[in-house]
Amino acid sequence: MVLGHGQVGIKILSNLADRRLVRAGVTIPVERLATSTLDGMQVAQAIAAAYRFAYADPYRACTHNKGVMNGIDPVIIATGNDWRAIEAGAHAYAARDGRYKPLAS
């Protein structure tokens, strides 16, 4: 079936889907964050400090976002989607304001 007489130049226009966002949230009781060496509040404070570091420093934000994508990529792969496209879009989104920032807060 021919829809038009134009020539296809590219098949994917963009992987930056900044208008199709998914947001997720989670609430974890502080005491559930405890480890064998840290209480839950110490862990919570360390998580918050890691975010602040990632927000302040784009080099840390890159590592922060790699961790985020480590959780997302298996789902993308398991559902048969193109994980490379998702990665590209996520990192482009992280830099959408001209400064690379963390994807999660």
Side-chain angles (χ1 to χ4, degrees):
M1 179 167 96
V2 176
L3 295 176
H5 297 287
Q7 182 179 1
V8 175
I10 56 177
K11 296 192 188 235
I12 299 172
L13 183 59
S14 176
N15 286 316
L16 180 55
D18 59 345
R19 295 192 177 127
R20 293 178 287 162
L21 299 177
V22 173
R23 289 187 169 80
V26 64
T27 302
I28 302 171
V30 172
E31 60 275 5
R32 297 295 304 263
L33 295 174
T35 69
S36 61
T37 58
L38 299 170
D39 68 36
M41 185 54 73
Q42 291 171 308
V43 174
Q45 290 170 340
I47 292 169
Y51 167 75
R52 289 191 301 273
F53 185 12
Y55 190 83
D57 182 65
Y59 293 91
R60 177 59 204 165
C62 184
T63 302
H64 183 92
N65 292 343
K66 180 185 180 298
V68 170
M69 297 311 297
N70 283 346
I72 294 170
D73 286 343
V75 176
I76 301 305
I77 293 166
T79 57
N81 288 285
D82 184 354
W83 64 271
R84 297 159 303 171
I86 304 298
E87 286 269 352
H91 292 291
Y93 184 79
R96 71 193 176 280
D97 297 329
R99 184 175 164 276
Y100 194 83
K101 297 178 189 172
L103 292 169
S105 59

